[in-house]
Amino acid sequence: MTLPHYILIVYWIVYYILHSVLAATSVKTFFKEKYGLTRYYRLIYSLLVTILLAFILWYQYSFLSPLLWNIPLLKLPAILLLIIPGGLIVFISIKKYFVLLSGIRAVYEKAPVHELKIMGIHRYVRHPLYTGTIMVVWGFYFIFPYLNNLIAVILLTLYVIVGIRFEEKKLIMEFGTHYLDYMKRVPALIPRMSSSPGQENEDPV
């Protein structure tokens, strides 16, 4: 593994640390109280992490990385079983919650509404955006099995597994037993095909 690959690892780790730290309740409270960013913090946060993500992706593909293996037969299954369904899950998640997650709502809405909505795809998994993203990036890795892509997908997967724990601690603080009950009924990333989905606040996808 060459120096650019080690730098790439550092970049991704720093990015995920910043992503989590800036999303922490204590950090958000600090910036809101000190700089009055109560309404626009999430929007600024979304713009910042997007810019950093674009930079890291540019760096990731700015140098040559070795091909780890070449199995053409895996490419079609990767597209059909990972990229297409994963991309559909990501599209549905972003379509339904982009305004809320990006912070754009703060531009036109004075007081954000804090409500736990369990509907659509969230009746099957608690974090569908993470599920779809992991499927897509691993699918692309099987099509383009280069070392830089392997580094990216492994670190992303680890970040999601660890990050969910911290994210759900905040959700439990915000929604209490309501979210704890939701956690008992619905898995985090992989749906339970043998059990019925959560029925609360149903809304068709």
Side-chain angles (χ1 to χ4, degrees):
M1 195 160 58
T2 62
L3 178 61
H5 291 96
Y6 288 108
I7 295 175
L8 179 64
I9 292 174
V10 172
Y11 278 165
W12 278 119
I13 292 175
V14 170
Y15 173 78
Y16 289 134
I17 291 175
L18 286 175
H19 193 280
S20 296
V21 169
L22 293 176
T25 302
S26 58
V27 175
K28 289 190 289 186
T29 301
F30 170 79
F31 279 101
K32 288 176 181 180
E33 293 179 351
K34 188 173 182 63
Y35 300 103
L37 299 177
T38 303
R39 288 182 58 190
Y40 300 104
Y41 183 85
R42 178 170 285 277
L43 178 60
I44 295 172
Y45 166 81
S46 298
L47 291 174
L48 177 61
V49 296
T50 300
I51 293 171
L52 292 176
L53 177 61
F55 168 76
I56 295 175
L57 289 175
W58 167 81
Y59 179 79
Q60 178 169 315
Y61 298 110
S62 67
F63 59 89
L64 295 177
S65 190
L67 183 68
L68 299 179
W69 45 267
N70 186 18
I71 306 177
L73 290 177
L74 288 179
K75 294 184 178 181
L76 183 58
I79 294 173
L80 296 178
L81 300 178
L82 294 174
I83 294 178
I84 292 179
L88 181 61
I89 293 172
V90 170
F91 174 78
I92 292 172
S93 301
I94 292 178
K95 179 177 179 292
K96 292 176 72 67
Y97 298 102
F98 173 76
V99 173
L100 174 63
L101 296 176
S102 65
I104 292 178
R105 174 179 291 184
V107 175
Y108 61 86
E109 189 175 278
K110 292 184 178 180
V113 178
H114 295 284
E115 181 182 356
L116 179 62
K117 294 184 178 181
I118 305 170
M119 57 188 185
I121 199 169
H122 283 81
R123 293 183 293 126
Y124 300 90
V125 289
R126 301 196 301 273
H127 304 280
L129 183 58
Y130 292 158
T131 298
T133 300
I134 289 176
M135 292 173 66
V136 169
V137 296
W138 276 104
F140 275 109
Y141 168 69
F142 287 124
I143 296 176
F144 305 104
Y146 293 91
L147 179 57
N148 56 353
N149 290 335
L150 180 61
I151 290 171
V153 297
I154 288 177
L155 290 178
L156 171 64
T157 304
L158 292 175
Y159 171 72
V160 167
I161 294 173
V162 175
I164 281 177
R165 297 179 180 274
F166 292 97
E167 182 175 335
E168 294 203 315
K169 285 182 179 179
K170 294 189 297 182
L171 291 170
I172 292 171
M173 290 178 60
E174 184 173 359
F175 299 109
T177 56
H178 198 182
Y179 194 83
L180 288 172
D181 292 339
Y182 177 49
M183 291 176 66
K184 294 177 182 178
R185 296 195 311 271
V186 179
L189 296 172
I190 303 174
R192 300 189 190 102
M193 295 302 180
S194 60
S195 60
S196 60
Q199 301 296 317
E200 191 169 354
N201 292 332
E202 286 192 23
D203 183 44
V205 173

